[in-house]
């Protein structure tokens, strides 16, 4: 459950003021009433309804060079496959700088996730993928490969090193620059997505609260 703190105005009741006055050398206490309204800020905790929290599933972020449509597709596809969308986006950023037309490794690696085609022919056939320069098809292959690696070894460092340099390489290495950078970036992206969704939820609650005042 998500809670936010709201400030609302509170009107204070009439307050009595006591004044002292000198009358012919005699000290007389005169009590007068002053109709004074004072406004104070009062903090109230407001619960955001579950239906509002669940209404939004994804909000794109501007801190990664992927358009909103492909971000949302990655988000939904990865969640369906039970793998972190932020991790996949961090790999895309590291491998191709988010360029779906990127070709590397002397013409052998393609697209967002730099799929080395000759090692994934069977995988492409299984997934019905024909074009590694198509962003979504490329990600399908990359995600499938990551899932296979996670099944072999659930340690993220090993998986990323194997993705980058093969299984034998991963068995020799641990916290490489590649794996550390991708994991760190993945954590940053995860926090950014959570912040966007949380801010959206609070904005919605603010609007509903103001409308009901």
């Amino acid at each position: 459950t998500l809670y936010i703190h709201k400030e609302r105005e509170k009107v204070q009741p009439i307050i009595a003021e006591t004044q002292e006055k000198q009358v012919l050398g005699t000290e007389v206490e005169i009590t007068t009433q002053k109709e004074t309204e004072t406004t104070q800020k009062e903090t109230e905790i407001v619960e955001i309804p579950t239906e509002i929290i669940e209404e939004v599933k994804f909000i794109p972020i501007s801190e990664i060079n992927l358009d909103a449509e492909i971000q949302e597709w990655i988000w939904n596809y990865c969640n369906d496959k039970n793998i972190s969308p932020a991790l996949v986006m961090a790999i895309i950023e590291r491998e191709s700088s988010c360029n779906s037309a990127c070709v590397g490794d002397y013409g052998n690696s393609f697209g967002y996730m730099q799929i080395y085609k000759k090692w994934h022919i069977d995988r492409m056939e299984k997934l019905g993928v024909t074009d590694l320069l198509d962003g979504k098809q490329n990600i399908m292959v990359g995600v499938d490969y990551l899932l296979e690696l996670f099944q072999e070894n659930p340690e993220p460092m090993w998986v990323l090193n194997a993705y980058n340099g093969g299984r034998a390489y991963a068995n020799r290495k641990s916290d490489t620059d590649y794996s550390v950078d991708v994991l760190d970036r993945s954590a940053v992206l995860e926090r950014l997505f959570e912040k966007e969704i949380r801010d959206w939820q609070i904005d919605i609650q603010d609007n509903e609260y103001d409308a009901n005042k």
Side-chain angles (χ1 to χ4, degrees), residues 153 155-180:
N153 188 331
E155 173 53 50
M157 288 284 192
W158 185 91
V159 168
L160 290 171
N161 287 330
Y163 185 91
N164 183 47
R167 292 169 174 83
Y169 174 79
N171 290 335
R172 298 193 309 270
K173 301 291 184 177
S174 56
D175 51 346
T176 63
D177 288 344
Y178 179 91
S179 59
V180 170

Side-chain angles (χ1 to χ4, degrees), residues 132-155:
L132 289 174
L133 293 180
D134 176 89
K136 295 175 183 178
Q137 292 187 51
N138 183 280
I139 293 165
M140 288 169 62
V141 175
V143 166
D144 191 73
Y145 184 35
L146 287 169
L147 291 172
E148 180 180 290
L149 294 172
F150 271 115
Q151 285 182 341
E152 295 177 26
N153 188 331
E155 173 53 50

Side-chain angles (χ1 to χ4, degrees), residues 58 60 66-76 89 112 136:
F58 173 78
L66 293 168
D67 64 41
E69 188 272 335
I70 194 65
Q71 284 189 46
E72 185 170 11
W73 185 88
I74 293 169
W75 182 272
N76 292 328
M89 290 187 203
Y112 277 140
K136 295 175 183 178

Side-chain angles (χ1 to χ4, degrees), residues 54-105:
E54 294 178 349
E55 184 177 339
V56 63
K57 298 299 182 185
F58 173 78
I59 295 177
I61 58 174
S62 60
E63 289 81 359
I64 188 168
N65 191 27
L66 293 168
D67 64 41
E69 188 272 335
I70 194 65
Q71 284 189 46
E72 185 170 11
W73 185 88
I74 293 169
W75 182 272
N76 292 328
Y77 185 78
C78 289
N79 279 318
D80 286 343
K81 298 294 182 180
N82 199 29
I83 189 170
S84 165
L87 178 65
V88 171
M89 290 187 203
I91 293 172
I92 289 171
E93 194 174 55
R94 173 70 186 229
E95 290 284 348
S96 65
S97 298
C98 302
N99 179 8
S100 63
C102 180
V103 178
D105 292 326

Side-chain angles (χ1 to χ4, degrees), residues 12-58:
Q12 295 291 93
I14 296 171
I15 56 174
E17 286 189 350
T18 299
Q19 296 178 340
E20 287 186 354
K21 201 169 186 181
Q22 293 286 336
V23 179
L24 300 175
T26 306
E27 192 173 272
V28 179
E29 188 179 79
I30 302 174
T31 301
T32 61
Q33 283 195 328
K34 198 174 179 183
E35 294 188 358
T36 305
E37 288 188 346
T38 61
T39 301
Q40 296 180 341
K41 294 291 186 178
E42 183 183 69
T43 300
E44 176 187 8
I45 297 177
V46 179
E47 180 179 352
I48 297 182
T50 302
E51 59 270 21
I52 292 178
I53 296 173
E54 294 178 349
E55 184 177 339
V56 63
K57 298 299 182 185
F58 173 78

Side-chain angles (χ1 to χ4, degrees), residues 109-120:
S109 295
F110 299 90
Y112 277 140
M113 300 186 74
Q114 286 295 278
I115 305 300
Y116 204 109
K117 185 174 181 177
K118 79 172 186 177
W119 303 124
H120 297 283

